[in-house]
Amino acid sequence: ASIEIQVNSAHATVKCAVLLLSLDSKKHSTVDFSLFLEASNTRGDVILVSFLTDDAASQVHGKIELGKSIQDAEGYLSEEILVLGKNVTVKTSPQLFVGSKNVKASHGASIQRLHPEKLFYMRSRGISLETARSLLIRAYIQKTMQFVGLSDEKLQNEIENIL
């Protein structure tokens, strides 16, 4: 998938979440995301979230570019990869291109598995491993959807069932 968003109007705000479900070991998943802030007093918040199962391969390239001569713009990019299987290959490259001085920008990436201590805690309370995994994955999906102001339980259930 390739996604490009250009913000050309002052005082505009963009909030975007992209979910990548890489479930097929025979296919290589790639997301190229670019956000261009080209006007003053703009803001862009982007989260790219990937869920990777057994033998999945994924590339996530996120970029925020803050144009020349703009003022008081803010751009934030987060790439979060959740490894749910074995033999996973991940390449990620969050990038910032800052052409002005009076702006704020940050980026980061994390690659993680379901937290073993959280799984252990839930298991010690009588919750099955499958249910514990499901609860943690659901929390991750909810966090992502809340980021952009969505609360669609049907969509959350569909994503969880796919995983």
Side-chain angles (χ1 to χ4, degrees):
S2 183
I3 302 164
E4 184 175 301
I5 298 173
Q6 294 182 344
V7 180
N8 298 318
S9 299
H11 306 288
T13 298
V14 172
K15 213 167 205 190
C16 185
V18 176
L19 288 175
L20 171 65
L21 309 176
S22 190
L23 311 172
D24 188 342
S25 62
K26 296 179 179 123
K27 292 184 180 177
H28 183 87
S29 301
T30 302
V31 170
D32 290 308
F33 184 95
S34 299
L35 173 63
F36 300 95
L37 298 178
E38 299 173 348
S40 294
N41 300 304
T42 54
R43 181 181 174 109
D45 291 315
V46 178
I47 183 170
L48 307 175
V49 180
S50 301
F51 296 93
L52 308 176
T53 60
D54 287 338
D55 302 312
S58 172
Q59 286 189 22
V60 179
H61 305 286
K63 174 174 76 171
I64 294 182
E65 187 170 324
L66 293 101
K68 295 179 181 177
S69 304
I70 64 172
Q71 301 291 316
D72 299 318
E74 297 181 28
Y76 302 100
L77 170 65
S78 176
E79 296 179 7
E80 299 181 21
I81 294 95
L82 187 60
V83 177
L84 301 173
K86 298 176 183 174
N87 302 318
V88 171
T89 303
V90 178
K91 292 182 182 178
T92 182
S93 60
Q95 300 176 14
L96 289 177
F97 297 95
V98 180
S100 297
K101 291 183 180 180
N102 190 21
V103 296
K104 294 179 185 177
S106 68
H107 68 303
S110 69
I111 301 171
Q112 58 190 337
R113 295 188 177 277
L114 292 177
H115 202 285
E117 290 177 11
K118 290 179 182 177
L119 287 170
F120 176 79
Y121 177 81
M122 286 190 252
R123 298 289 314 276
S124 71
R125 300 300 185 261
I127 298 173
S128 71
L129 178 59
E130 184 177 312
T131 301
R133 285 177 51 90
S134 178
L135 288 170
L136 290 176
I137 290 168
R138 185 170 192 71
Y140 216 89
I141 295 167
Q142 284 177 339
K143 174 187 148 194
T144 304
M145 292 181 71
Q146 286 174 351
F147 176 79
V148 291
L150 289 176
S151 61
D152 186 337
E153 190 162 331
K154 182 179 177 186
L155 178 59
Q156 290 177 18
N157 290 335
E158 288 179 23
I159 294 168
E160 186 180 342
N161 288 337
I162 291 170
L163 293 171

